[in-house]
Amino acid sequence: LVPIELSLHQNYPNPFNPQTTITWSMPLSGIVSLEVYNLQGQLMEHLFDGYKEVGMHEQVWDASAYPSGIYFYRLMTNEKTLQKVMLLLK
């Protein structure tokens, strides 16, 4: 099945410790960037930057090196930028 629109799904599990999975779907192939930011807006980790085909995709984030707190994950494509919130509890 081909997705109808670009969508960023809620990470699972959420809250998490120490790993979570981020999923998204793409109706068009293209360059994608997936990044994690802290509450102050500082880039914490660049999870993926490259080409992805049409369909569902997932990326695991291991936050073992980071403190408990609220984090944002941002998916950027040529089309648009989507962002969601996740909670790391240690």
Side-chain angles (χ1 to χ4, degrees):
L1 294 173
V2 175
I4 297 170
E5 66 180 357
L6 178 68
S7 61
L8 180 60
H9 307 278
Q10 188 62 51
N11 64 301
Y12 182 82
N14 189 36
F16 68 98
N17 178 24
Q19 293 184 339
T20 189
T21 302
I22 299 167
T23 59
W24 70 94
S25 56
M26 297 173 54
L28 301 170
S29 300
I31 302 297
V32 176
S33 180
L34 183 63
E35 299 172 337
V36 176
Y37 294 85
N38 67 12
L39 201 53
Q40 289 77 35
Q42 299 167 313
L43 177 64
M44 301 307 291
E45 198 159 336
H46 196 85
L47 298 178
F48 183 81
D49 190 20
Y51 183 82
K52 288 284 188 183
E53 293 289 339
V54 170
M56 292 288 296
H57 304 281
E58 68 178 39
Q59 181 73 42
V60 174
W61 183 42
D62 185 342
S64 298
Y66 300 103
S68 295
I70 298 171
Y71 293 88
F72 299 93
Y73 55 104
R74 185 177 296 164
L75 179 72
M76 294 170 281
T77 68
N78 290 340
E79 256 180 64
K80 60 176 134 176
T81 299
L82 302 172
Q83 181 172 287
K84 294 224 181 242
V85 178
M86 58 186 162
L87 180 61
L88 170 59
L89 289 178
K90 289 191 172 182

Coordinates of all heavy atoms in Angstrom, one line a residue:
L1 N 0.8 -1.2 0.0 CA 0.0 0.0 0.0 C 0.9 1.3 0.0 O 1.9 1.3 0.7 CB -0.9 0.0 1.2 CG -1.9 -1.1 1.3 CD1 -2.6 -1.0 2.7 CD2 -3.0 -1.0 0.2
V2 N 0.5 2.2 -0.8 CA 1.2 3.5 -0.8 C 0.5 4.5 0.1 O -0.7 4.7 -0.1 CB 1.2 4.0 -2.3 CG1 1.9 5.4 -2.3 CG2 2.0 3.1 -3.2
P3 N 1.2 5.1 1.0 CA 0.5 6.1 1.9 C 0.0 7.3 1.1 O 0.5 7.7 0.0 CB 1.7 6.6 2.8 CG 2.7 5.5 2.7 CD 2.6 4.9 1.3
I4 N -1.1 7.9 1.6 CA -1.7 9.0 0.9 C -1.0 10.3 1.1 O -0.9 11.2 0.3 CB -3.2 9.1 1.3 CG1 -4.0 7.9 0.9 CG2 -3.9 10.4 0.8 CD1 -5.4 7.8 1.5
E5 N -0.5 10.5 2.4 CA 0.2 11.7 2.7 C 1.4 11.4 3.6 O 1.5 10.3 4.3 CB -0.7 12.7 3.4 CG -1.2 12.2 4.7 CD -2.2 13.3 5.3 OE1 -2.4 14.3 4.8 OE2 -2.7 13.0 6.4
L6 N 2.3 12.3 3.7 CA 3.5 12.2 4.6 C 2.9 12.3 6.0 O 2.2 13.2 6.4 CB 4.4 13.4 4.4 CG 5.7 13.4 5.3 CD1 6.6 12.2 5.0 CD2 6.4 14.7 5.1
S7 N 3.3 11.3 6.9 CA 2.8 11.4 8.2 C 3.9 10.8 9.2 O 4.6 9.9 8.9 CB 1.5 10.6 8.4 OG 1.7 9.2 8.1
L8 N 4.0 11.5 10.3 CA 5.0 11.1 11.4 C 4.1 10.5 12.5 O 3.2 11.2 13.0 CB 5.7 12.3 11.8 CG 6.8 12.1 12.9 CD1 7.8 11.1 12.5 CD2 7.4 13.5 13.3
H9 N 4.4 9.3 12.9 CA 3.6 8.7 13.9 C 4.2 8.8 15.3 O 5.4 9.1 15.4 CB 3.5 7.2 13.6 CG 3.0 6.9 12.2 ND1 1.7 7.0 11.9 CD2 3.7 6.7 11.1 CE1 1.5 6.7 10.6 NE2 2.7 6.6 10.1
Q10 N 3.4 8.7 16.3 CA 3.9 8.8 17.7 C 4.9 7.6 18.0 O 4.7 6.5 17.6 CB 2.7 8.7 18.7 CG 3.1 9.0 20.1 CD 3.7 10.4 20.3 OE1 3.0 11.4 19.9 NE2 4.9 10.5 20.9
N11 N 6.0 8.0 18.6 CA 7.0 7.0 19.0 C 6.4 5.9 19.9 O 5.4 6.2 20.6 CB 8.2 7.6 19.6 CG 7.9 8.3 20.9 OD1 7.1 9.2 21.0 ND2 8.6 7.8 22.0
Y12 N 7.0 4.7 19.9 CA 6.5 3.6 20.7 C 7.7 2.9 21.3 O 8.6 2.5 20.5 CB 5.6 2.7 19.9 CG 5.1 1.6 20.8 CD1 4.0 1.8 21.6 CD2 5.7 0.3 20.9 CE1 3.5 0.8 22.4 CE2 5.2 -0.7 21.7 CZ 4.1 -0.4 22.4 OH 3.6 -1.4 23.3
P13 N 7.7 2.6 22.6 CA 6.8 3.1 23.6 C 7.0 4.5 23.9 O 8.1 5.1 23.6 CB 7.1 2.2 24.8 CG 8.5 1.8 24.6 CD 8.8 1.7 23.1
N14 N 6.1 5.1 24.6 CA 6.2 6.5 25.0 C 5.3 6.7 26.3 O 4.1 6.5 26.1 CB 5.7 7.5 23.9 CG 6.0 8.9 24.3 OD1 7.1 9.2 24.9 ND2 5.1 9.8 23.9
P15 N 5.9 6.9 27.4 CA 7.3 7.1 27.7 C 8.2 5.9 27.5 O 7.6 4.8 27.4 CB 7.3 7.5 29.2 CG 5.9 7.7 29.6 CD 5.0 7.1 28.6
F16 N 9.5 6.1 27.4 CA 10.4 5.0 27.1 C 11.7 5.1 27.9 O 12.0 6.1 28.5 CB 10.7 5.0 25.6 CG 11.6 6.2 25.2 CD1 12.9 6.1 25.1 CD2 11.0 7.4 24.9 CE1 13.7 7.2 24.7 CE2 11.8 8.5 24.5 CZ 13.1 8.4 24.4
N17 N 12.4 3.9 28.0 CA 13.7 3.8 28.6 C 14.3 2.5 28.2 O 13.8 1.5 28.5 CB 13.5 3.9 30.1 CG 14.8 3.7 30.9 OD1 15.9 4.0 30.3 ND2 14.8 3.2 32.1
P18 N 15.4 2.5 27.6 CA 16.2 3.6 27.0 C 15.9 3.7 25.5 O 16.5 4.6 24.9 CB 17.6 3.2 27.3 CG 17.6 1.7 27.1 CD 16.3 1.3 27.6
Q19 N 15.2 2.8 24.9 CA 15.0 2.9 23.4 C 13.5 3.1 23.0 O 12.6 2.6 23.7 CB 15.4 1.6 22.8 CG 16.9 1.3 22.8 CD 17.3 0.1 22.1 OE1 16.5 -0.8 21.8 NE2 18.6 0.0 21.7
T20 N 13.3 3.7 21.9 CA 12.0 3.9 21.3 C 12.1 3.8 19.8 O 13.2 4.0 19.3 CB 11.4 5.3 21.8 OG1 10.0 5.4 21.4 CG2 12.2 6.5 21.2
T21 N 11.0 3.5 19.2 CA 10.9 3.4 17.7 C 10.1 4.5 17.2 O 9.0 4.8 17.6 CB 10.4 2.1 17.3 OG1 11.2 1.0 17.9 CG2 10.4 1.9 15.8
I22 N 10.7 5.2 16.2 CA 10.0 6.3 15.5 C 9.6 5.8 14.1 O 10.4 5.3 13.4 CB 10.9 7.6 15.4 CG1 11.2 8.1 16.8 CG2 10.2 8.6 14.6 CD1 12.3 9.1 16.8
T23 N 8.3 6.0 13.7 CA 7.9 5.5 12.4 C 7.2 6.7 11.7 O 6.7 7.6 12.2 CB 6.8 4.4 12.5 OG1 5.7 4.8 13.3 CG2 7.4 3.1 13.2
W24 N 7.4 6.6 10.3 CA 6.7 7.5 9.5 C 6.4 6.9 8.1 O 6.9 5.8 7.8 CB 7.6 8.8 9.3 CG 8.9 8.5 8.5 CD1 9.0 8.8 7.1 CD2 10.1 8.1 8.9 NE1 10.3 8.5 6.7 CE2 11.0 8.0 7.8 CE3 10.6 7.7 10.1 CZ2 12.3 7.6 7.9 CZ3 11.9 7.3 10.2 CH2 12.8 7.2 9.1
S25 N 5.5 7.5 7.4 CA 5.1 7.0 6.1 C 5.2 8.1 5.1 O 5.0 9.3 5.3 CB 3.6 6.5 6.1 OG 2.8 7.5 6.5
M26 N 5.7 7.7 3.9 CA 6.0 8.6 2.8 C 5.2 8.2 1.5 O 5.3 7.1 1.1 CB 7.5 8.6 2.5 CG 8.3 9.1 3.6 SD 10.1 8.9 3.3 CE 10.3 9.8 1.8
P27 N 4.5 9.2 0.9 CA 3.8 8.9 -0.3 C 4.7 9.0 -1.6 O 4.4 8.5 -2.6 CB 2.7 9.9 -0.4 CG 3.2 11.1 0.4 CD 4.1 10.5 1.4
L28 N 5.8 9.7 -1.4 CA 6.8 10.0 -2.5 C 8.2 9.6 -2.0 O 8.5 9.9 -0.8 CB 6.8 11.4 -2.9 CG 5.4 12.0 -3.4 CD1 5.5 13.5 -3.6 CD2 5.0 11.3 -4.7
S29 N 9.0 9.1 -2.9 CA 10.4 8.9 -2.5 C 11.1 10.2 -2.4 O 10.7 11.2 -3.0 CB 11.1 8.0 -3.6 OG 10.4 6.8 -3.7
G30 N 12.2 10.2 -1.6 CA 12.9 11.5 -1.5 C 13.9 11.5 -0.3 O 14.1 10.5 0.4
I31 N 14.6 12.6 -0.2 CA 15.5 12.8 0.9 C 14.8 13.1 2.2 O 13.9 13.9 2.2 CB 16.5 14.0 0.5 CG1 17.2 13.7 -0.8 CG2 17.5 14.2 1.7 CD1 18.1 12.5 -0.7
V32 N 15.2 12.5 3.3 CA 14.6 12.6 4.6 C 15.6 12.9 5.6 O 16.7 12.3 5.5 CB 13.8 11.3 4.9 CG1 13.2 11.4 6.3 CG2 12.7 11.0 3.9
S33 N 15.3 13.7 6.6 CA 16.1 13.9 7.7 C 15.3 13.7 9.0 O 14.2 14.3 9.1 CB 16.7 15.3 7.7 OG 17.6 15.6 8.8
L34 N 15.9 13.0 9.9 CA 15.2 12.7 11.2 C 16.1 13.1 12.3 O 17.2 12.6 12.4 CB 14.8 11.3 11.3 CG 14.0 10.8 12.6 CD1 12.7 11.5 12.7 CD2 13.8 9.3 12.6
E35 N 15.7 14.1 13.2 CA 16.5 14.6 14.2 C 15.8 14.6 15.6 O 14.6 14.7 15.6 CB 17.0 16.0 13.9 CG 17.8 16.1 12.6 CD 18.1 17.5 12.2 OE1 17.3 18.4 12.5 OE2 19.1 17.7 11.4
V36 N 16.6 14.6 16.7 CA 16.0 14.7 18.0 C 16.5 15.9 18.7 O 17.7 16.2 18.6 CB 16.4 13.4 18.8 CG1 15.9 13.6 20.3 CG2 15.8 12.2 18.2
Y37 N 15.6 16.7 19.3 CA 16.0 17.9 20.0 C 15.5 17.9 21.5 O 14.6 17.2 21.8 CB 15.3 19.1 19.4 CG 15.7 19.4 17.9 CD1 15.2 18.7 16.9 CD2 16.7 20.4 17.7 CE1 15.6 19.0 15.6 CE2 17.1 20.6 16.4 CZ 16.6 19.9 15.4 OH 17.0 20.2 14.1
N38 N 16.3 18.6 22.3 CA 15.8 18.7 23.7 C 14.8 19.8 23.9 O 14.5 20.5 22.9 CB 17.0 18.8 24.7 CG 17.8 20.1 24.5 OD1 17.3 21.1 23.9 ND2 19.0 20.2 25.1
L39 N 14.4 20.0 25.1 CA 13.4 21.0 25.4 C 13.8 22.4 25.1 O 13.0 23.3 24.8 CB 12.9 20.9 26.9 CG 11.6 21.5 27.2 CD1 10.5 21.0 26.4 CD2 11.3 21.2 28.7
Q40 N 15.2 22.7 25.1 CA 15.7 24.0 24.8 C 15.9 24.2 23.3 O 16.4 25.3 22.9 CB 17.1 24.2 25.6 CG 16.9 24.3 27.1 CD 16.7 23.0 27.8 OE1 17.2 22.0 27.3 NE2 15.9 23.0 28.8
G41 N 15.6 23.2 22.5 CA 15.7 23.3 21.1 C 17.1 23.0 20.6 O 17.4 23.2 19.4
Q42 N 18.0 22.4 21.4 CA 19.3 22.0 21.0 C 19.2 20.6 20.3 O 18.6 19.7 20.8 CB 20.2 21.9 22.2 CG 20.4 23.2 22.9 CD 21.1 23.0 24.3 OE1 20.7 22.1 25.0 NE2 22.1 23.8 24.5
L43 N 19.9 20.5 19.2 CA 20.0 19.2 18.5 C 20.8 18.2 19.3 O 21.9 18.4 19.7 CB 20.7 19.4 17.1 CG 21.0 18.1 16.3 CD1 19.6 17.5 15.9 CD2 21.8 18.5 15.1
M44 N 20.1 17.1 19.7 CA 20.7 16.1 20.5 C 21.3 15.0 19.6 O 22.4 14.5 19.9 CB 19.7 15.5 21.4 CG 19.0 16.5 22.4 SD 20.2 17.5 23.3 CE 20.9 16.3 24.4
E45 N 20.6 14.6 18.6 CA 21.1 13.5 17.7 C 20.5 13.6 16.4 O 19.3 13.9 16.2 CB 20.8 12.1 18.4 CG 21.6 11.0 17.8 CD 21.7 9.9 18.8 OE1 21.6 10.0 20.0 OE2 22.0 8.8 18.2
H46 N 21.3 13.3 15.4 CA 20.9 13.2 14.0 C 20.7 11.7 13.7 O 21.7 11.0 13.6 CB 21.9 13.8 13.1 CG 21.5 14.2 11.7 ND1 20.8 15.3 11.4 CD2 21.5 13.5 10.6 CE1 20.5 15.3 10.2 NE2 20.9 14.2 9.6
L47 N 19.4 11.3 13.6 CA 19.2 9.8 13.5 C 19.3 9.3 12.0 O 19.7 8.2 11.8 CB 17.8 9.5 14.0 CG 17.6 9.8 15.5 CD1 16.1 9.5 15.9 CD2 18.5 9.0 16.3
F48 N 18.9 10.1 11.1 CA 18.9 9.6 9.7 C 18.9 10.8 8.8 O 18.3 11.8 9.0 CB 17.7 8.8 9.4 CG 17.7 8.2 8.0 CD1 18.4 7.1 7.7 CD2 17.0 8.9 6.9 CE1 18.5 6.6 6.4 CE2 17.1 8.4 5.6 CZ 17.8 7.3 5.3
D49 N 19.7 10.7 7.7 CA 19.7 11.7 6.6 C 20.1 11.0 5.3 O 21.2 10.5 5.2 CB 20.8 12.8 7.0 CG 20.7 14.0 6.0 OD1 19.6 14.2 5.4 OD2 21.7 14.7 5.9
G50 N 19.1 10.9 4.5 CA 19.3 10.2 3.2 C 18.1 9.9 2.5 O 17.0 10.5 2.8
Y51 N 18.2 9.1 1.5 CA 17.1 8.8 0.6 C 16.2 7.6 1.1 O 16.8 6.6 1.6 CB 17.7 8.4 -0.8 CG 16.6 8.2 -1.9 CD1 16.0 9.2 -2.6 CD2 16.2 6.9 -2.2 CE1 15.1 9.0 -3.5 CE2 15.3 6.6 -3.1 CZ 14.7 7.7 -3.8 OH 13.7 7.5 -4.8
K52 N 14.9 7.8 1.0 CA 14.0 6.7 1.4 C 13.0 6.5 0.3 O 12.5 7.5 -0.4 CB 13.2 7.0 2.7 CG 14.1 6.9 3.9 CD 14.3 5.5 4.3 CE 15.0 5.4 5.7 NZ 15.3 4.1 6.0
E53 N 12.6 5.3 0.0 CA 11.5 5.0 -0.9 C 10.1 5.2 -0.4 O 10.0 5.4 0.8 CB 11.6 3.5 -1.3 CG 12.9 3.1 -2.1 CD 12.9 3.7 -3.5 OE1 11.9 4.0 -4.1 OE2 14.0 3.8 -4.1
V54 N 9.1 5.2 -1.2 CA 7.7 5.3 -0.8 C 7.4 4.2 0.2 O 8.0 3.0 0.1 CB 6.8 5.1 -2.0 CG1 5.4 4.9 -1.6 CG2 7.0 6.2 -3.0
G55 N 6.6 4.5 1.3 CA 6.2 3.4 2.2 C 6.4 3.8 3.6 O 6.6 5.0 4.0
M56 N 6.3 2.8 4.5 CA 6.5 3.0 5.9 C 8.0 2.7 6.3 O 8.6 1.9 5.7 CB 5.6 1.9 6.7 CG 4.2 2.1 6.6 SD 3.6 3.5 7.6 CE 4.0 3.0 9.2
H57 N 8.4 3.6 7.2 CA 9.8 3.5 7.7 C 9.9 3.6 9.2 O 9.0 4.2 9.8 CB 10.7 4.6 7.0 CG 10.6 4.5 5.5 ND1 11.3 3.7 4.8 CD2 9.8 5.3 4.7 CE1 11.0 3.8 3.5 NE2 10.1 4.8 3.4
E58 N 10.9 3.0 9.8 CA 11.1 3.2 11.2 C 12.6 3.3 11.5 O 13.5 2.9 10.8 CB 10.5 2.0 12.0 CG 11.2 0.7 11.8 CD 10.5 -0.4 12.6 OE1 9.3 -0.4 12.7 OE2 11.3 -1.2 13.1
Q59 N 12.8 4.0 12.7 CA 14.2 4.3 13.2 C 14.1 4.1 14.7 O 13.3 4.7 15.3 CB 14.6 5.7 12.8 CG 16.0 6.1 13.2 CD 17.1 5.4 12.4 OE1 16.9 5.3 11.2 NE2 18.1 4.9 13.1
V60 N 15.1 3.4 15.2 CA 15.2 3.2 16.7 C 16.1 4.3 17.2 O 17.2 4.5 16.6 CB 15.7 1.8 17.0 CG1 15.9 1.7 18.5 CG2 14.7 0.7 16.5
W61 N 15.7 4.9 18.3 CA 16.6 5.8 19.0 C 17.0 5.2 20.4 O 16.1 4.9 21.2 CB 15.9 7.2 19.2 CG 16.8 8.2 19.9 CD1 18.2 8.4 19.6 CD2 16.5 9.1 20.9 NE1 18.7 9.4 20.4 CE2 17.7 9.9 21.2 CE3 15.4 9.4 21.6 CZ2 17.7 10.8 22.2 CZ3 15.4 10.4 22.5 CH2 16.5 11.1 22.8
D62 N 18.3 5.1 20.6 CA 18.8 4.6 21.9 C 19.2 5.8 22.7 O 20.2 6.5 22.3 CB 19.9 3.6 21.7 CG 20.4 3.0 23.0 OD1 20.1 3.6 24.1 OD2 21.1 2.0 22.9
A63 N 18.5 6.2 23.7 CA 18.7 7.4 24.5 C 19.5 7.1 25.8 O 19.4 7.8 26.7 CB 17.4 8.1 24.8
S64 N 20.2 6.0 25.8 CA 21.0 5.6 27.0 C 21.9 6.7 27.5 O 22.1 6.8 28.7 CB 21.8 4.4 26.7 OG 21.0 3.3 26.4
A65 N 22.4 7.5 26.6 CA 23.4 8.5 27.0 C 22.8 9.9 27.4 O 23.5 10.8 27.7 CB 24.4 8.8 25.8
Y66 N 21.4 9.9 27.4 CA 20.7 11.2 27.7 C 19.9 11.1 28.9 O 19.5 10.1 29.3 CB 19.8 11.5 26.5 CG 20.6 11.7 25.2 CD1 20.6 10.7 24.2 CD2 21.3 12.9 24.9 CE1 21.3 10.8 23.0 CE2 22.0 13.0 23.8 CZ 22.0 12.0 22.8 OH 22.7 12.1 21.7
P67 N 19.7 12.3 29.6 CA 19.0 12.3 30.9 C 17.5 12.2 30.6 O 17.0 12.5 29.5 CB 19.3 13.7 31.5 CG 19.7 14.5 30.3 CD 20.3 13.6 29.3
S68 N 16.7 11.9 31.6 CA 15.3 11.9 31.6 C 14.8 13.3 31.1 O 15.4 14.3 31.5 CB 14.7 11.6 32.9 OG 15.0 10.3 33.3
G69 N 13.7 13.3 30.4 CA 13.1 14.6 30.0 C 12.3 14.5 28.8 O 12.0 13.4 28.2
I70 N 11.8 15.7 28.3 CA 11.0 15.8 27.1 C 11.9 16.1 26.0 O 12.8 16.9 26.0 CB 10.0 16.9 27.3 CG1 9.0 16.6 28.5 CG2 9.2 17.2 26.0 CD1 8.1 17.7 28.9
Y71 N 11.6 15.3 24.9 CA 12.4 15.5 23.6 C 11.4 15.6 22.5 O 10.3 15.1 22.5 CB 13.3 14.3 23.4 CG 14.4 14.2 24.4 CD1 14.2 13.5 25.6 CD2 15.7 14.8 24.2 CE1 15.2 13.5 26.6 CE2 16.7 14.8 25.2 CZ 16.4 14.1 26.3 OH 17.4 14.0 27.3
F72 N 11.9 16.3 21.4 CA 11.1 16.5 20.2 C 11.8 15.7 19.1 O 13.1 15.7 19.0 CB 11.0 17.9 19.8 CG 10.4 18.8 20.8 CD1 11.1 19.4 21.8 CD2 9.0 18.9 20.8 CE1 10.5 20.2 22.7 CE2 8.3 19.7 21.8 CZ 9.1 20.4 22.7
Y73 N 11.1 15.0 18.2 CA 11.7 14.4 17.1 C 11.1 15.1 15.8 O 9.9 15.3 15.8 CB 11.6 12.9 17.1 CG 10.2 12.3 17.2 CD1 9.6 11.8 16.1 CD2 9.6 12.2 18.4 CE1 8.3 11.2 16.2 CE2 8.4 11.6 18.6 CZ 7.8 11.1 17.5 OH 6.5 10.5 17.6
R74 N 11.9 15.4 14.9 CA 11.5 16.2 13.7 C 11.9 15.4 12.4 O 13.0 15.0 12.3 CB 12.2 17.5 13.8 CG 11.8 18.5 12.7 CD 12.5 19.8 12.8 NE 12.1 20.5 14.1 CZ 12.7 21.5 14.6 NH1 13.8 22.0 14.1 NH2 12.3 22.0 15.7
L75 N 10.9 15.3 11.6 CA 11.1 14.7 10.3 C 11.0 15.8 9.2 O 10.0 16.5 9.2 CB 10.0 13.7 10.0 CG 10.0 13.0 8.7 CD1 11.2 12.0 8.6 CD2 8.7 12.2 8.4
M76 N 12.0 15.9 8.4 CA 12.1 17.0 7.4 C 12.2 16.3 6.0 O 13.1 15.4 5.8 CB 13.2 17.9 7.7 CG 13.0 18.7 8.9 SD 14.5 19.6 9.4 CE 15.5 18.3 10.1
T77 N 11.4 16.8 5.1 CA 11.5 16.4 3.7 C 11.4 17.6 2.8 O 11.3 18.7 3.3 CB 10.3 15.4 3.3 OG1 9.1 16.2 3.3 CG2 10.2 14.3 4.2
N78 N 11.5 17.5 1.5 CA 11.3 18.6 0.6 C 9.9 19.2 0.7 O 9.7 20.3 0.5 CB 11.6 18.2 -0.8 CG 13.1 17.9 -1.1 OD1 13.9 18.3 -0.3 ND2 13.4 17.2 -2.1
E79 N 8.9 18.3 1.0 CA 7.5 18.7 1.1 C 7.2 19.5 2.3 O 6.6 20.6 2.2 CB 6.7 17.4 1.3 CG 5.9 17.0 0.1 CD 5.1 15.7 0.4 OE1 4.2 15.8 1.2 OE2 5.4 14.7 -0.3
K80 N 7.6 19.0 3.5 CA 7.3 19.7 4.8 C 8.1 19.1 5.9 O 8.8 18.2 5.8 CB 5.8 19.6 5.1 CG 5.2 18.2 5.2 CD 3.7 18.3 5.6 CE 2.9 17.3 4.8 NZ 1.5 17.4 5.3
T81 N 7.9 19.8 7.1 CA 8.5 19.4 8.3 C 7.4 19.0 9.3 O 6.5 19.7 9.5 CB 9.4 20.5 8.9 OG1 10.4 20.8 7.9 CG2 10.0 20.1 10.2
L82 N 7.6 17.8 10.0 CA 6.7 17.4 11.0 C 7.4 17.1 12.3 O 8.6 16.7 12.3 CB 6.0 16.1 10.5 CG 5.2 16.1 9.2 CD1 4.8 14.7 8.8 CD2 4.0 17.0 9.3
Q83 N 6.7 17.3 13.4 CA 7.4 17.2 14.7 C 6.5 16.6 15.7 O 5.3 16.9 15.7 CB 7.9 18.6 15.2 CG 8.6 18.6 16.5 CD 9.2 19.9 16.8 OE1 10.2 20.3 16.2 NE2 8.7 20.6 17.7
K84 N 7.0 15.8 16.6 CA 6.2 15.2 17.7 C 7.1 15.2 19.0 O 8.3 15.5 19.0 CB 5.8 13.8 17.4 CG 4.8 13.7 16.2 CD 3.7 12.7 16.5 CE 2.8 12.7 15.3 NZ 1.5 13.1 15.6
V85 N 6.4 15.0 20.1 CA 7.0 15.0 21.5 C 7.1 13.6 22.0 O 6.2 12.8 21.8 CB 6.2 15.9 22.4 CG1 6.8 15.9 23.8 CG2 6.0 17.3 21.9
M86 N 8.2 13.3 22.7 CA 8.4 12.0 23.4 C 9.0 12.3 24.8 O 9.6 13.3 25.1 CB 9.2 11.1 22.6 CG 10.6 11.5 22.3 SD 11.4 10.3 21.2 CE 12.7 11.3 20.5
L87 N 8.8 11.3 25.7 CA 9.2 11.4 27.1 C 10.2 10.3 27.5 O 9.8 9.1 27.4 CB 8.0 11.4 28.0 CG 8.3 11.6 29.5 CD1 9.0 12.9 29.8 CD2 6.9 11.5 30.2
L88 N 11.4 10.6 27.9 CA 12.3 9.6 28.3 C 12.3 9.6 29.8 O 12.5 10.7 30.5 CB 13.7 10.0 27.8 CG 14.9 9.3 28.4 CD1 14.8 7.8 28.1 CD2 16.2 9.8 27.8
L89 N 12.0 8.5 30.4 CA 12.0 8.3 31.9 C 13.0 7.3 32.3 O 12.9 6.1 31.9 CB 10.6 7.9 32.3 CG 9.5 8.9 32.3 CD1 8.2 8.2 32.7 CD2 9.8 10.1 33.1
K90 N 13.9 7.7 33.1 CA 14.9 6.7 33.6 C 14.7 6.4 35.0 O 14.2 7.1 35.8 CB 16.3 7.3 33.4 CG 16.7 7.3 31.9 CD 18.2 7.6 31.8 CE 18.5 7.4 30.3 NZ 19.9 7.7 30.1

